[in-house]
Amino acid sequence: MMTLYSGTTDPFSQRCRIVLYEKGMEDFQVIDVDIYNKPEDLAAINPYNMVPVLVERDLVLSESNIINEYIDERFPHPQLMPADPVMRARARLFLHRFENEMFSHIQLIETGTQKVAEKSRIALRDNLTQIAPIFAKQRYMLNEEYSMLDVAIAPLLWRLEHYDIQLGREAAPLMKYAERIFSRKAYIDSMTPAEKAMRK
């Protein structure tokens, strides 16, 4: 059985929960972790003392994208990473860019000074506005098929209000896309009560 140590408000943990539910898996356990009051055994499992952590027998994985690729390969239906090697490489590049250009700002918003947090909010707003036109042409991030890229960005889009990020009218296609993702059963099932409370 897979066990996922998952932060109840952590966007990276939410990614892993989404994938588990997208796969329609039943044989897994989610252990909720308060990221501000972590259990002692977490540090024993993961030397970085961070969530998410996936444990399956003697395998221990951290980092949400690594965990999600493992789950996707282990349980191939529905496939969330593209089957084509070129498209898969592009998807990995996008995931890398998400981490560097978007998700790197989340911690700065949560823990940085007011000035640093505001700068990060502006950078995130600009990056999201830049990708908004994609969704006027296609249903999901890569094409018409839901993929790991949609999984990766969904927790950020859910938390925009929580992070006090205001998007302009030009981001309307992005917000319509976000609502499509949020209405998926797997997305709804993956959410913790604390995450549901982040959005009015």
PDB file of all heavy atoms in Angstrom, residues 1-2 6 15 34 55 63 73-74 76 82 86 91-92 94 105 117 128 145 153 160 189 192:
ATOM      1  N   MET A   1       0.834  -1.200   0.000  1.00  0.00           N
ATOM      2  CA  MET A   1       0.000   0.000   0.000  1.00  0.00           C
ATOM      3  C   MET A   1       0.865   1.246   0.000  1.00  0.00           C
ATOM      4  O   MET A   1       1.870   1.310   0.683  1.00  0.00           O
ATOM      5  CB  MET A   1      -0.913   0.009   1.231  1.00  0.00           C
ATOM      6  CG  MET A   1      -1.824   1.227   1.258  1.00  0.00           C
ATOM      7  SD  MET A   1      -2.602   1.564   2.830  1.00  0.00           S
ATOM      8  CE  MET A   1      -4.011   0.504   2.727  1.00  0.00           C
ATOM      9  N   MET A   2       0.453   2.234  -0.787  1.00  0.00           N
ATOM     10  CA  MET A   2       1.164   3.511  -0.805  1.00  0.00           C
ATOM     11  C   MET A   2       0.683   4.379   0.362  1.00  0.00           C
ATOM     12  O   MET A   2      -0.518   4.446   0.636  1.00  0.00           O
ATOM     13  CB  MET A   2       0.859   4.267  -2.094  1.00  0.00           C
ATOM     14  CG  MET A   2       1.544   3.729  -3.306  1.00  0.00           C
ATOM     15  SD  MET A   2       1.205   4.826  -4.714  1.00  0.00           S
ATOM     16  CE  MET A   2       2.286   4.105  -5.921  1.00  0.00           C
ATOM     17  N   SER A   6       1.198  14.083   3.650  1.00  0.00           N
ATOM     18  CA  SER A   6       0.695  15.214   2.868  1.00  0.00           C
ATOM     19  C   SER A   6       0.348  16.392   3.761  1.00  0.00           C
ATOM     20  O   SER A   6      -0.390  16.249   4.747  1.00  0.00           O
ATOM     21  CB  SER A   6      -0.558  14.731   2.116  1.00  0.00           C
ATOM     22  OG  SER A   6      -1.298  15.801   1.620  1.00  0.00           O
ATOM     23  N   ARG A  15      -0.868  18.363  -5.188  1.00  0.00           N
ATOM     24  CA  ARG A  15      -0.583  17.770  -6.506  1.00  0.00           C
ATOM     25  C   ARG A  15      -0.613  16.247  -6.439  1.00  0.00           C
ATOM     26  O   ARG A  15      -1.176  15.590  -7.305  1.00  0.00           O
ATOM     27  CB  ARG A  15       0.825  18.174  -6.976  1.00  0.00           C
ATOM     28  CG  ARG A  15       0.988  19.562  -7.461  1.00  0.00           C
ATOM     29  CD  ARG A  15       2.461  19.756  -7.781  1.00  0.00           C
ATOM     30  NE  ARG A  15       2.727  21.047  -8.380  1.00  0.00           N
ATOM     31  CZ  ARG A  15       3.945  21.487  -8.643  1.00  0.00           C
ATOM     32  NH1 ARG A  15       4.996  20.736  -8.364  1.00  0.00           N
ATOM     33  NH2 ARG A  15       4.128  22.658  -9.189  1.00  0.00           N
ATOM     34  N   ASP A  34       0.400  18.559   9.648  1.00  0.00           N
ATOM     35  CA  ASP A  34       0.337  20.004   9.889  1.00  0.00           C
ATOM     36  C   ASP A  34       1.753  20.526   9.628  1.00  0.00           C
ATOM     37  O   ASP A  34       2.679  20.218  10.383  1.00  0.00           O
ATOM     38  CB  ASP A  34      -0.094  20.266  11.332  1.00  0.00           C
ATOM     39  CG  ASP A  34      -0.117  21.763  11.672  1.00  0.00           C
ATOM     40  OD1 ASP A  34       0.365  22.582  10.855  1.00  0.00           O
ATOM     41  OD2 ASP A  34      -0.592  22.102  12.766  1.00  0.00           O
ATOM     42  N   VAL A  55       5.611   6.744   0.541  1.00  0.00           N
ATOM     43  CA  VAL A  55       6.277   5.533   1.019  1.00  0.00           C
ATOM     44  C   VAL A  55       5.519   4.332   0.460  1.00  0.00           C
ATOM     45  O   VAL A  55       4.296   4.231   0.614  1.00  0.00           O
ATOM     46  CB  VAL A  55       6.292   5.468   2.566  1.00  0.00           C
ATOM     47  CG1 VAL A  55       6.974   4.194   3.046  1.00  0.00           C
ATOM     48  CG2 VAL A  55       6.980   6.701   3.148  1.00  0.00           C
ATOM     49  N   GLU A  63       9.539  15.212  -3.220  1.00  0.00           N
ATOM     50  CA  GLU A  63       9.381  16.086  -4.395  1.00  0.00           C
ATOM     51  C   GLU A  63       8.145  15.667  -5.198  1.00  0.00           C
ATOM     52  O   GLU A  63       8.102  14.568  -5.754  1.00  0.00           O
ATOM     53  CB  GLU A  63      10.623  16.078  -5.314  1.00  0.00           C
ATOM     54  CG  GLU A  63      11.881  16.610  -4.677  1.00  0.00           C
ATOM     55  CD  GLU A  63      11.779  18.066  -4.278  1.00  0.00           C
ATOM     56  OE1 GLU A  63      11.142  18.879  -5.002  1.00  0.00           O
ATOM     57  OE2 GLU A  63      12.334  18.419  -3.222  1.00  0.00           O
ATOM     58  N   GLU A  73       3.712   6.187 -13.845  1.00  0.00           N
ATOM     59  CA  GLU A  73       4.323   5.030 -14.511  1.00  0.00           C
ATOM     60  C   GLU A  73       3.867   3.712 -13.889  1.00  0.00           C
ATOM     61  O   GLU A  73       3.688   2.714 -14.578  1.00  0.00           O
ATOM     62  CB  GLU A  73       5.854   5.149 -14.460  1.00  0.00           C
ATOM     63  CG  GLU A  73       6.358   6.239 -15.397  1.00  0.00           C
ATOM     64  CD  GLU A  73       7.850   6.495 -15.279  1.00  0.00           C
ATOM     65  OE1 GLU A  73       8.538   5.773 -14.535  1.00  0.00           O
ATOM     66  OE2 GLU A  73       8.331   7.434 -15.943  1.00  0.00           O
ATOM     67  N   ARG A  74       3.665   3.737 -12.600  1.00  0.00           N
ATOM     68  CA  ARG A  74       3.259   2.515 -11.879  1.00  0.00           C
ATOM     69  C   ARG A  74       1.808   2.149 -12.188  1.00  0.00           C
ATOM     70  O   ARG A  74       1.444   0.983 -12.264  1.00  0.00           O
ATOM     71  CB  ARG A  74       3.447   2.767 -10.381  1.00  0.00           C
ATOM     72  CG  ARG A  74       3.111   1.615  -9.504  1.00  0.00           C
ATOM     73  CD  ARG A  74       4.301   1.141  -8.716  1.00  0.00           C
ATOM     74  NE  ARG A  74       3.927   0.430  -7.521  1.00  0.00           N
ATOM     75  CZ  ARG A  74       3.156  -0.650  -7.476  1.00  0.00           C
ATOM     76  NH1 ARG A  74       2.626  -1.128  -8.563  1.00  0.00           N
ATOM     77  NH2 ARG A  74       2.896  -1.249  -6.338  1.00  0.00           N
ATOM     78  N   PRO A  76      -0.556   3.164 -15.092  1.00  0.00           N
ATOM     79  CA  PRO A  76      -0.564   3.937 -16.342  1.00  0.00           C
ATOM     80  C   PRO A  76      -1.921   4.436 -16.852  1.00  0.00           C
ATOM     81  O   PRO A  76      -1.961   5.147 -17.839  1.00  0.00           O
ATOM     82  CB  PRO A  76       0.081   2.999 -17.358  1.00  0.00           C
ATOM     83  CG  PRO A  76       0.081   1.651 -16.746  1.00  0.00           C
ATOM     84  CD  PRO A  76      -0.139   1.782 -15.283  1.00  0.00           C
ATOM     85  N   PRO A  82       2.642  12.654 -21.249  1.00  0.00           N
ATOM     86  CA  PRO A  82       2.458  12.243 -22.644  1.00  0.00           C
ATOM     87  C   PRO A  82       3.244  10.977 -22.977  1.00  0.00           C
ATOM     88  O   PRO A  82       4.340  10.764 -22.460  1.00  0.00           O
ATOM     89  CB  PRO A  82       3.007  13.440 -23.433  1.00  0.00           C
ATOM     90  CG  PRO A  82       3.008  14.582 -22.480  1.00  0.00           C
ATOM     91  CD  PRO A  82       3.192  14.002 -21.123  1.00  0.00           C
ATOM     92  N   VAL A  86       9.023  13.161 -27.168  1.00  0.00           N
ATOM     93  CA  VAL A  86       9.238  14.604 -27.399  1.00  0.00           C
ATOM     94  C   VAL A  86       8.268  15.417 -26.544  1.00  0.00           C
ATOM     95  O   VAL A  86       8.658  16.370 -25.862  1.00  0.00           O
ATOM     96  CB  VAL A  86       9.087  14.958 -28.903  1.00  0.00           C
ATOM     97  CG1 VAL A  86       9.127  16.469 -29.114  1.00  0.00           C
ATOM     98  CG2 VAL A  86      10.181  14.272 -29.714  1.00  0.00           C
ATOM     99  N   ALA A  91       6.848  18.445 -21.585  1.00  0.00           N
ATOM    100  CA  ALA A  91       6.072  18.506 -20.346  1.00  0.00           C
ATOM    101  C   ALA A  91       7.001  18.660 -19.141  1.00  0.00           C
ATOM    102  O   ALA A  91       6.751  19.474 -18.250  1.00  0.00           O
ATOM    103  CB  ALA A  91       5.214  17.245 -20.195  1.00  0.00           C
ATOM    104  N   ARG A  92       8.114  17.909 -19.147  1.00  0.00           N
ATOM    105  CA  ARG A  92       9.071  18.015 -18.029  1.00  0.00           C
ATOM    106  C   ARG A  92       9.697  19.406 -17.974  1.00  0.00           C
ATOM    107  O   ARG A  92       9.945  19.949 -16.893  1.00  0.00           O
ATOM    108  CB  ARG A  92      10.163  16.952 -18.171  1.00  0.00           C
ATOM    109  CG  ARG A  92       9.670  15.568 -17.819  1.00  0.00           C
ATOM    110  CD  ARG A  92      10.790  14.549 -17.826  1.00  0.00           C
ATOM    111  NE  ARG A  92      10.287  13.240 -17.456  1.00  0.00           N
ATOM    112  CZ  ARG A  92      10.442  12.147 -18.181  1.00  0.00           C
ATOM    113  NH1 ARG A  92      11.101  12.185 -19.324  1.00  0.00           N
ATOM    114  NH2 ARG A  92       9.955  10.996 -17.761  1.00  0.00           N
ATOM    115  N   PHE A  94       8.246  22.181 -18.993  1.00  0.00           N
ATOM    116  CA  PHE A  94       7.194  23.042 -18.433  1.00  0.00           C
ATOM    117  C   PHE A  94       7.136  22.912 -16.914  1.00  0.00           C
ATOM    118  O   PHE A  94       7.047  23.906 -16.192  1.00  0.00           O
ATOM    119  CB  PHE A  94       5.818  22.658 -19.003  1.00  0.00           C
ATOM    120  CG  PHE A  94       5.386  23.469 -20.191  1.00  0.00           C
ATOM    121  CD1 PHE A  94       5.191  22.855 -21.423  1.00  0.00           C
ATOM    122  CD2 PHE A  94       5.146  24.824 -20.078  1.00  0.00           C
ATOM    123  CE1 PHE A  94       4.778  23.585 -22.532  1.00  0.00           C
ATOM    124  CE2 PHE A  94       4.726  25.565 -21.169  1.00  0.00           C
ATOM    125  CZ  PHE A  94       4.540  24.949 -22.405  1.00  0.00           C
ATOM    126  N   HIS A 105       7.946  31.415  -5.940  1.00  0.00           N
ATOM    127  CA  HIS A 105       7.444  32.651  -5.306  1.00  0.00           C
ATOM    128  C   HIS A 105       6.519  32.378  -4.124  1.00  0.00           C
ATOM    129  O   HIS A 105       6.317  33.253  -3.282  1.00  0.00           O
ATOM    130  CB  HIS A 105       6.703  33.507  -6.338  1.00  0.00           C
ATOM    131  CG  HIS A 105       7.603  34.051  -7.404  1.00  0.00           C
ATOM    132  ND1 HIS A 105       8.547  35.029  -7.155  1.00  0.00           N
ATOM    133  CD2 HIS A 105       7.719  33.746  -8.716  1.00  0.00           C
ATOM    134  CE1 HIS A 105       9.198  35.301  -8.272  1.00  0.00           C
ATOM    135  NE2 HIS A 105       8.721  34.528  -9.231  1.00  0.00           N
ATOM    136  N   ALA A 117       7.383  39.809  -0.527  1.00  0.00           N
ATOM    137  CA  ALA A 117       6.119  39.139  -0.837  1.00  0.00           C
ATOM    138  C   ALA A 117       5.385  39.860  -1.965  1.00  0.00           C
ATOM    139  O   ALA A 117       4.853  39.224  -2.876  1.00  0.00           O
ATOM    140  CB  ALA A 117       5.246  39.069   0.408  1.00  0.00           C
ATOM    141  N   LEU A 128       1.410  34.339 -14.829  1.00  0.00           N
ATOM    142  CA  LEU A 128       0.105  33.716 -15.098  1.00  0.00           C
ATOM    143  C   LEU A 128      -0.614  34.436 -16.240  1.00  0.00           C
ATOM    144  O   LEU A 128      -1.230  33.797 -17.096  1.00  0.00           O
ATOM    145  CB  LEU A 128      -0.757  33.714 -13.831  1.00  0.00           C
ATOM    146  CG  LEU A 128      -0.304  32.733 -12.744  1.00  0.00           C
ATOM    147  CD1 LEU A 128      -1.038  32.989 -11.438  1.00  0.00           C
ATOM    148  CD2 LEU A 128      -0.506  31.285 -13.188  1.00  0.00           C
ATOM    149  N   GLU A 145      -6.127  17.325 -23.928  1.00  0.00           N
ATOM    150  CA  GLU A 145      -6.117  16.257 -22.912  1.00  0.00           C
ATOM    151  C   GLU A 145      -5.571  16.778 -21.584  1.00  0.00           C
ATOM    152  O   GLU A 145      -4.543  17.451 -21.549  1.00  0.00           O
ATOM    153  CB  GLU A 145      -5.239  15.080 -23.382  1.00  0.00           C
ATOM    154  CG  GLU A 145      -5.733  14.378 -24.637  1.00  0.00           C
ATOM    155  CD  GLU A 145      -7.052  13.663 -24.428  1.00  0.00           C
ATOM    156  OE1 GLU A 145      -7.218  13.011 -23.376  1.00  0.00           O
ATOM    157  OE2 GLU A 145      -7.926  13.768 -25.314  1.00  0.00           O
ATOM    158  N   ILE A 153      -0.227  22.897 -11.884  1.00  0.00           N
ATOM    159  CA  ILE A 153      -0.558  24.313 -11.698  1.00  0.00           C
ATOM    160  C   ILE A 153      -1.844  24.535 -10.910  1.00  0.00           C
ATOM    161  O   ILE A 153      -2.048  25.593 -10.309  1.00  0.00           O
ATOM    162  CB  ILE A 153      -0.607  25.049 -13.061  1.00  0.00           C
ATOM    163  CG1 ILE A 153      -0.402  26.553 -12.853  1.00  0.00           C
ATOM    164  CG2 ILE A 153      -1.892  24.730 -13.824  1.00  0.00           C
ATOM    165  CD1 ILE A 153      -0.128  27.321 -14.122  1.00  0.00           C
ATOM    166  N   LEU A 160      -4.951  31.583  -5.422  1.00  0.00           N
ATOM    167  CA  LEU A 160      -4.690  32.975  -5.821  1.00  0.00           C
ATOM    168  C   LEU A 160      -5.259  33.973  -4.812  1.00  0.00           C
ATOM    169  O   LEU A 160      -4.580  34.926  -4.402  1.00  0.00           O
ATOM    170  CB  LEU A 160      -5.262  33.257  -7.221  1.00  0.00           C
ATOM    171  CG  LEU A 160      -4.542  32.572  -8.383  1.00  0.00           C
ATOM    172  CD1 LEU A 160      -5.230  32.896  -9.702  1.00  0.00           C
ATOM    173  CD2 LEU A 160      -3.065  32.948  -8.435  1.00  0.00           C
ATOM    174  N   ASP A 189     -12.247  15.595  -4.760  1.00  0.00           N
ATOM    175  CA  ASP A 189     -11.959  14.538  -3.781  1.00  0.00           C
ATOM    176  C   ASP A 189     -10.604  14.715  -3.109  1.00  0.00           C
ATOM    177  O   ASP A 189     -10.401  14.269  -1.978  1.00  0.00           O
ATOM    178  CB  ASP A 189     -12.006  13.156  -4.452  1.00  0.00           C
ATOM    179  CG  ASP A 189     -13.412  12.762  -4.886  1.00  0.00           C
ATOM    180  OD1 ASP A 189     -14.387  13.418  -4.451  1.00  0.00           O
ATOM    181  OD2 ASP A 189     -13.536  11.808  -5.679  1.00  0.00           O
ATOM    182  N   THR A 192      -8.420  18.957   1.072  1.00  0.00           N
ATOM    183  CA  THR A 192      -8.610  18.879   2.520  1.00  0.00           C
ATOM    184  C   THR A 192      -9.598  19.980   2.927  1.00  0.00           C
ATOM    185  O   THR A 192      -9.792  20.953   2.190  1.00  0.00           O
ATOM    186  CB  THR A 192      -7.272  19.128   3.261  1.00  0.00           C
ATOM    187  OG1 THR A 192      -6.832  20.468   2.980  1.00  0.00           O
ATOM    188  CG2 THR A 192      -6.203  18.129   2.843  1.00  0.00           C
TER     189      THR A 192
END
